[in-house]
């Protein structure tokens, strides 16, 4: 998702230093950006550092490694982490940036690769209001809805909540369509009927047809959604709250990964109900 987000920032007139230099980055960004040899190199050249990485360990390596962001952070630099990671890890990184004289926001996103390409992401931001205002010219390029939800870490909590709702709804749509097809009723007709009623949702609209057609090219990969629900289960343990349905869907995503579906779209959770493999 970082590549199309970078392309949108370039198109909006921002000057970018990008780490890493890869064929995919070159194909999309060409010579419109400068390619850094390390995260530290990119940080030295920038007033604002934006991270978009898969998981908590990836962010920690890029931030805390020998050639990481913290090794080169200048006072006054703003770090915006748009990854989806542990809220506790986010707060700890924010403290380190603050001690180095920098500013920090966590700003995870929802909307997938389509939203990244079209600049229509929903962005959930945690941090000081003044810092959020400072980041608005960047965030408004990347998303169509930017919501300040609280202090650093609150953005990650909001993203976890988002992923619970999406994951549980995907499973509900999968179960509903499994029943429809087992009853030998036209799933296309039922999908159309459901879209006109109280059961209508964005998940049903987008993922229902994928499940009916058996087309599961990602979008958003099961392995990444499993990671996000893992963060939900971890947070629930820390906070002593019960998340029984989210935990069940997390286990179904474990089953999907075990079945070889890790890099299929998260709507391929439907295949687990069929006992299917890729």
């Amino acid at each position: 998702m970082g590549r199309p987000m970078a392309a949108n920032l370039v198109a909006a007139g921002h000057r970018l230093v990008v780490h890493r230099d890869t064929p995919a980055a070159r194909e999309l960004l060409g010579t419109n950006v400068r390619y850094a040899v390390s995260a530290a190199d990119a940080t030295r050249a920038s007033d604002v550092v934006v991270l978009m990485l898969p998981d908590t360990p990836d962010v920690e390596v890029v931030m805390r490694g020998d050639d990481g962001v913290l090794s080169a952070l200048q006072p006054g630099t703003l770090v915006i982490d748009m990854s989806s990671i542990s809220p506790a890890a986010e707060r700890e990184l924010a403290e380190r940036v603050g001690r180095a004289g920098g500013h920090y926001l966590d700003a995870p996103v929802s909307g997938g690769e389509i939203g990244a390409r079209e600049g229509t992401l929903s962005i959930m931001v945690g941090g000081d209001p003044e810092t959020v205002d400072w980041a608005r010219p960047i965030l408004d390029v990347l998303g169509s809805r930017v919501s300040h939800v609280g202090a650093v870490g609150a953005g990650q909590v909001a993203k976890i909540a988002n992923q619970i709702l999406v994951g549980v709804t995907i499973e509900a749509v999968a179960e509903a369509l499994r029943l429809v097809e087992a009853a030998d009723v036209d799933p296309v007709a039922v999908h159309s009927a459901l879209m006109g009623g109280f059961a209508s949702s964005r998940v049903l609209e987008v993922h229902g047809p994928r499940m009916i057609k058996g087309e599961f090219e990602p979008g958003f990969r099961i392995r990444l959604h499993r990671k996000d629900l893992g963060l939900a289960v971890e947070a629930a343990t820390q906070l002593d709250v019960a998340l029984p349905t989210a935990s069940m869907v997390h286990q179904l995503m474990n089953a999907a990964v075990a079945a070889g579906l890790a890099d299929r779209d998260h709507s391929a959770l439907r295949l687990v109900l069929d006992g299917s493999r890729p």
Side-chain angles (χ1 to χ4, degrees):
M1 290 176 63
R3 286 191 296 271
M5 293 166 69
N8 288 337
L9 289 169
V10 170
H14 294 279
R15 292 188 299 160
L16 265 64
V17 180
V18 175
H19 175 61
R20 298 162 300 173
D21 186 352
T22 64
R26 290 274 180 178
E27 181 179 357
L28 183 61
L29 302 172
T31 59
N32 295 316
V33 302
R34 179 169 84 77
Y35 295 92
V37 297
S38 67
D41 181 30
T43 300
R44 290 187 194 97
S46 305
D47 297 318
V48 179
V49 176
V50 180
L51 308 179
M52 174 53 87
L53 297 161
D55 204 347
T56 305
D58 304 296
V59 173
E60 296 210 341
V61 167
V62 167
M63 287 294 296
R64 300 168 61 178
D66 291 341
D67 289 321
V69 171
L70 283 166
S71 71
L73 193 73
Q74 302 298 310
T77 301
L78 169 61
V79 177
I80 307 174
D81 182 18
M82 306 192 76
S83 318
S84 296
I85 70 169
S86 160
E90 200 79 273
R91 288 189 286 268
E92 194 273 337
L93 289 171
E95 289 177 4
R96 285 176 172 264
V97 169
R99 290 198 296 269
H103 308 276
Y104 199 93
L105 297 174
D106 67 311
V109 306
S110 178
E113 293 181 22
I114 293 174
R117 288 196 302 270
E118 297 179 354
T120 58
L121 294 167
S122 176
I123 306 175
M124 295 150 273
V125 190
D128 294 331
E130 297 82 4
T131 309
V132 176
D133 289 342
W134 178 15
R136 282 275 179 184
I138 293 172
L139 301 177
D140 286 341
V141 169
L142 302 175
S144 58
R145 185 180 184 90
V146 179
S147 302
H148 182 207
V149 294
V152 169
Q156 297 297 344
V157 173
K159 177 60 185 289
I160 289 171
N162 180 88
Q163 297 303 78
I164 291 172
L165 287 168
V166 173
V168 168
T169 307
I170 285 175
E171 173 59 19
V173 170
E175 291 184 15
L177 292 176
R178 179 71 181 89
L179 176 66
V180 167
E181 292 177 3
D184 200 25
V185 176
D186 181 3
V188 175
V190 172
H191 179 266
S192 178
L194 296 177
M195 284 301 299
F198 198 54
S200 177
S201 70
R202 181 66 172 158
V203 170
L204 178 63
E205 177 188 0
V206 172
H207 292 308
R210 288 182 178 220
M211 295 179 190
I212 293 168
K213 296 174 184 177
E215 297 176 351
F216 300 115
E217 290 302 310
F220 187 67
R221 288 171 170 79
I222 281 179
R223 62 180 172 83
L224 294 176
H225 203 149
R226 179 182 72 154
K227 177 264 298 183
D228 291 342
L229 288 184
L231 294 174
V233 172
E234 177 185 305
T237 300
Q238 293 170 347
L239 297 170
D240 293 326
V241 298
L243 299 179
T245 307
S247 298
M248 180 269 292
V249 176
H250 183 235
Q251 289 302 317
L252 288 172
M253 289 189 175
N254 283 339
V257 171
L261 300 169
D263 286 313
R264 307 297 291 277
D265 186 78
H266 51 177
S267 58
L269 198 61
R270 164 63 201 270
L271 298 177
V272 177
L273 300 181
D274 299 335
S276 302
R277 289 179 177 267

